[in-house]
Every structure is written in C-alpha cells, then in structure tokens.
Amino acid sequence: MSSQTPMSPIQSIPVYPGDAFCVSYGANMGDALSFMSEVELDDTYELSATATRHRLSFRALDDGTFRVAEGSELGVPGAPLYLDCALIFMTPDGRNTEILVLVETAEDGHLSQVCFLPLAPLEPDAEYRLVGTDREGARTRFAQVACVSFSRGTHITMASGAQVQIENLNIGDRVLTRDAGPQDIRWIGHSTVRATGDFAPILVRAGVLNNENDLLVSPDHRLFVYQRTDQIGVGQSEILVKARHLVNGDSVTVQEGGFVDYFQILFDRHHIIYAEGIAAESMLVDSRTRSALPPELIRKLRTLLPEHGRRSDHGLDVQKALLDRPDAIDLLRRASLR
C-alpha cells in the first residue's frame, strides 16, 4: 500500500457480483461471469431475478492500480482490484450492452471474486449474448464514467462575465473560477454516449440551486454549495454534492433515453467554475480519469499538471446518507442564501 497517498480519495460504484450473471446457453453453460480469458463468445447470459447491486468502494493509486477501500460492501479492504475488460452483449432486439469486469485478488495474486459494472440497465431473465471483448478500451470507458461532464448547451461563465455555451469554448479561453480567478482552459474533451445507466445525465431544473437555467450534468458531477448556515449538519460551510445524490424525481431528475453530448473542461489544476450560475467542479485528473485524456497529454501530464490529483481544498464531500431526506434541496438552497 506504499503507493497510496493520503490524498487518494475513496470512489464508489454500484456493481453486481459475478455469480449474479450466469451462462444460460453455450459452451460455459451454468458458469458465472468471469474474466476475459475465461469467457466464450456467443455464450448467452441471464441476470438472476434476485440479483442486487452492492457498493464497491476503492482507491485509485498513482501507479494505475486500485485497492478495495474501507467501508466497501464488497471485497476485503486493502485487497488489490483490477479492471479486467469490457464485455459487449447483444439483446434479442439487436441492442448492444456493455459491462466492465473487475477482479479482486488476494495478496498472493489468487482470484478472490469477480464483479461487474453494467453501463446500461440489465433486465432479469432477459437473454444477453456475448458478442465482443475489449481489454484495451476498458480503461477509457471506466474513466468516462468517472469524468465530470457538462452537456451540450451549458453556459459557462467566462473571465469577462460573458456566458458562453460549452461547445463554443476553445483551448486557451479564460474562464472564471471561484478559487483562483480567471484561468486558461488546458483541454476540452467531448464524447457522445447513450443516455442510460451511469451515463444518463442529471437534470437540475432552473431555480433549484438558485440557477437561472436548467443544468444537465453527468451523475457524479459535484456541485459546490457555500452554506451561510449549516442546514444539513455537516459542520462545514463549503461542501460538494454529487448531482445523483440530489435526485428527487421532481426538481432534480435522471434524463434517460437517447444520446447525450458530454464535454469536459480541464485546467492546470482542479477548480470550481460556474455553469448556468451554479458553482461546479471542473475535470479532475487522477489515476482513474487519466485514461480519458489524449495520449499526448497523458505523456506530459506530470509536468503540466503536477498538483491535479488534489481535491480536498474545495470543500467537504457530502455523503448520500445526509441528503436522503425530502427537504434536502430546499435546505441547501436556503443555506446558500442566508
């Protein structure tokens, strides 16, 4: 664990254990989902009717590996965790569904368990035929899930005060940041993905957090709230809240269906910027999200962005349990005004 630094944050993903997804027809009939070298193309899998997701918490280390974190519902804290591959399945109606396979090992290298993260919802007892495997692209997909992204059309506040739609920004443009004033954009990422599962964006309707317009962001995008009074009892005025933790089915909703254009803004450091008037984080580069960057930028990363992995200076991460109340959004809105 020597490669782990105190700044390595705990991340969590909702996964199924491998034995919840078994071969119902094919060469490995009866076998549970396994790592890439053990699966066979054209095998048909089904998700158990009793399958439930569990929270897998982990730390991404500087060397690109992962370790199961304390408090995880699956796995042994401290155990090595590896992203093995992406598997592509086809449903009877011709739709493709991807899952990411993660493998936990014991310290001696022997397999402890397999779990998987679906990138689109899986239906119990539906048939999923394995049509492809991808080891090289798995890291990029895993990084894309973690990247904080704004949707096409989002207005970003510039250093001049102008409101510019994110798709019209350019490298070198100066954006207003809360923590460091005007800052130049280092890189802008763009991807178009199916708006489903962990890629389905979160809609924060106008006025919910004192925003003038609707804001549409990726699920794990953290929004910054300055509490003039501590309304939710975290003991700190500056807090960061994941968009997915605010979903209430009314003023904050999941926008599932079709496709979504996502954009990432990268600066030399991790900053808080303004999107539709809401303070929200810019892209953070760590050992997980690094794979979403172009190769030429990754090669220069250590000298260009030496302090990018630091994320503790923008406020306290608020856990979902503290927001699991019907008046959470009203409390946050009032807290920022008083």
Side-chain angles (χ1 to χ4, degrees):
M1 297 288 287
S2 60
S3 59
Q4 179 178 313
T5 70
M7 301 306 297
S8 176
I10 294 178
Q11 303 179 46
S12 297
I13 52 176
V15 300
Y16 290 106
D19 59 9
F21 200 48
C22 297
V23 179
S24 58
Y25 179 81
N28 292 331
M29 188 168 179
D31 289 354
L33 182 74
S34 190
F35 44 90
M36 195 171 88
S37 61
E38 294 290 320
V39 300
E40 293 285 345
L41 292 178
D42 290 326
D43 276 0
T44 297
Y45 288 74
E46 290 186 9
L47 182 70
S48 168
T50 59
T52 57
R53 287 197 181 196
H54 301 270
R55 187 185 72 255
L56 176 63
S57 301
F58 61 92
R59 294 182 184 273
L61 308 187
D62 290 339
D63 61 4
T65 62
F66 309 100
R67 295 269 177 165
V68 178
E70 57 273 21
S72 179
E73 291 180 352
L74 283 183
V76 176
L81 184 70
Y82 299 94
L83 178 61
D84 182 69
C85 65
L87 299 179
I88 302 96
F89 294 87
M90 181 178 289
T91 59
D93 61 3
R95 291 181 296 108
N96 280 354
T97 296
E98 288 183 82
I99 69 171
L100 300 177
V101 178
L102 297 107
V103 176
E104 179 191 341
T105 66
E107 291 294 343
D108 60 6
H110 286 88
L111 175 68
S112 293
Q113 71 169 330
V114 173
C115 56
F116 64 97
L117 172 67
L119 299 185
L122 298 178
E123 297 296 330
D125 299 324
E127 294 184 340
Y128 296 90
R129 183 168 64 90
L130 180 61
V131 296
T133 62
D134 183 3
R135 177 158 281 149
E136 295 301 317
R139 281 246 169 207
T140 299
R141 297 296 276 165
F142 197 48
Q144 288 174 338
V145 174
C147 284
V148 295
S149 305
F150 299 97
S151 67
R152 178 179 293 275
T154 300
H155 290 89
I156 303 298
T157 302
M158 309 303 290
S160 65
Q163 301 294 307
V164 177
Q165 291 182 320
I166 194 166
E167 63 269 25
N168 295 326
L169 295 177
N170 296 293
I171 294 173
D173 284 352
R174 292 175 68 75
V175 171
L176 178 64
T177 73
R178 182 185 185 275
D179 49 295
Q183 293 295 318
D184 294 346
I185 297 175
R186 169 69 69 178
W187 175 78
I188 301 172
H190 172 230
S191 60
T192 301
V193 298
R194 286 188 179 276
T196 186
D198 286 324
F199 287 115
I202 306 300
L203 174 64
V204 182
R205 297 195 182 279
V208 170
L209 289 175
N210 306 309
N211 47 309
E212 183 175 351
N213 302 311
D214 290 351
L215 177 67
L216 194 67
V217 294
S218 56
D220 282 338
H221 208 134
R222 297 185 303 165
L223 309 178
F224 176 90
V225 177
Y226 181 83
Q227 295 191 107
R228 299 181 185 278
T229 57
D230 186 8
Q231 293 287 305
I232 60 175
V234 297
Q236 190 164 325
S237 58
E238 297 185 350
I239 60 176
L240 292 164
V241 181
K242 287 184 178 180
R244 70 162 75 238
H245 292 166
L246 295 174
V247 171
N248 59 9
D250 180 20
S251 57
V252 182
T253 58
V254 179
Q255 297 294 288
E256 191 150 8
F259 292 83
V260 59
D261 283 334
Y262 276 144
F263 293 82
Q264 301 86 37
I265 303 179
L266 180 70
F267 300 94
D268 286 349
R269 293 188 61 187
H270 181 228
H271 291 294
I272 300 297
I273 63 175
Y274 297 93
E276 303 297 0
I278 293 181
E281 66 177 330
S282 65
M283 181 178 175
L284 173 71
V285 177
D286 60 19
S287 55
R288 179 180 174 188
T289 58
R290 188 178 295 126
S291 297
L293 300 176
E296 62 273 16
L297 186 55
I298 294 176
R299 288 193 291 269
K300 300 176 181 178
L301 199 59
R302 290 191 179 278
T303 54
L304 288 177
L305 312 171
E307 300 181 359
H308 220 276
R310 299 182 181 179
R311 59 185 284 173
S312 61
D313 55 349
H314 295 315
L316 178 71
D317 270 302
V318 177
Q319 300 303 307
K320 178 175 174 53
L322 287 175
L323 299 167
D324 194 16
R325 48 190 298 176
D327 60 345
I329 294 175
D330 287 338
L331 289 176
L332 290 174
R333 182 172 57 245
R334 291 201 301 269
S336 63
L337 291 175
R338 291 181 177 179

